[in-house]
Amino acid sequence: MAHVLIVVTHPDPESFTARWAAATATGLQSAGHTVAWSDLYAQGFDPVAGFDTPQGRGEVEKLKAADHIVLHFPLWWYGPPAMLKGWVDQVLVPGETVDANAPFEAGPCRGKRALFCVSVDVPAQQCGPSGRSGDARLQLWPLAHAFRFAGMDLLEPYLVPGIEADLGPARRIMMDAQIAQVLNDTPRRMAAMDRLPIWATNPAADFDTQGQLRPGAAVFSPFIRHDDGS
């Protein structure tokens, strides 16, 4: 069984994000996993404090103790909340959880898995590759790559689009039904976390000694691609 750290970033304890995180905990615990929490707003987390503060040290120790990490957050202005970015800055500590001389697959956090559970406030067709709001999966790549640098495997993100605040009655009914379905599905999905698919990225063998993607290597995202655009 695994020990899983759930990191929640939302100011409203009654939000979909918070309820979704609770459903995640239910699923993990039903499968025999243990759960630790970092509810950043509830903790009054200071995103600009250093990792050498008591707060930062506590979060580093939580991360080091976890086998896996599940992060629940909304996309705000095409990226994660600033508080979550501050948490990442404090827990990815050189010499402890990251090592510039042993990055990515060789990193100190190898063997851990991370999963992003993310709500988006536009419909699915608007946050896909051709959508006007941009590809939400691509917007998550910088954050995902930070965890990859530490040595973690990223699981395919669990994205829930269409979680909007200002809706008419008909759309509200549809959104509430969608939320109910997600909250009902999440415990089952999280109980099988060890079998969820890995979010593919290039392994070390795909890069030359200069850190350049080798000709013919697969491209999994525009975030890392060949110079000719292929």
Side-chain angles (χ1 to χ4, degrees), residues 204 206-214:
D206 282 355
F207 298 91
D208 63 23
T209 57
Q210 302 300 312
Q212 291 285 299
L213 193 63
R214 296 182 187 277

Side-chain angles (χ1 to χ4, degrees), residues 37 45 56 67 83 92 102 113-114 116 126-127 154 160 208 211 220:
W37 287 87
F45 182 81
D67 298 301
M83 186 175 284
L92 297 187
R113 293 183 170 188
F116 297 164
Q126 293 183 31
C127 61
L154 270 291
V160 178
D208 63 23
F220 298 101

Side-chain angles (χ1 to χ4, degrees), residues 161-183:
I163 305 301
E164 305 171 64
D166 299 319
L167 297 171
R171 181 69 188 92
R172 170 64 63 178
I173 291 172
M174 292 176 59
M175 188 183 75
D176 287 346
Q178 178 190 15
I179 287 173
Q181 181 177 351
V182 170
L183 297 181

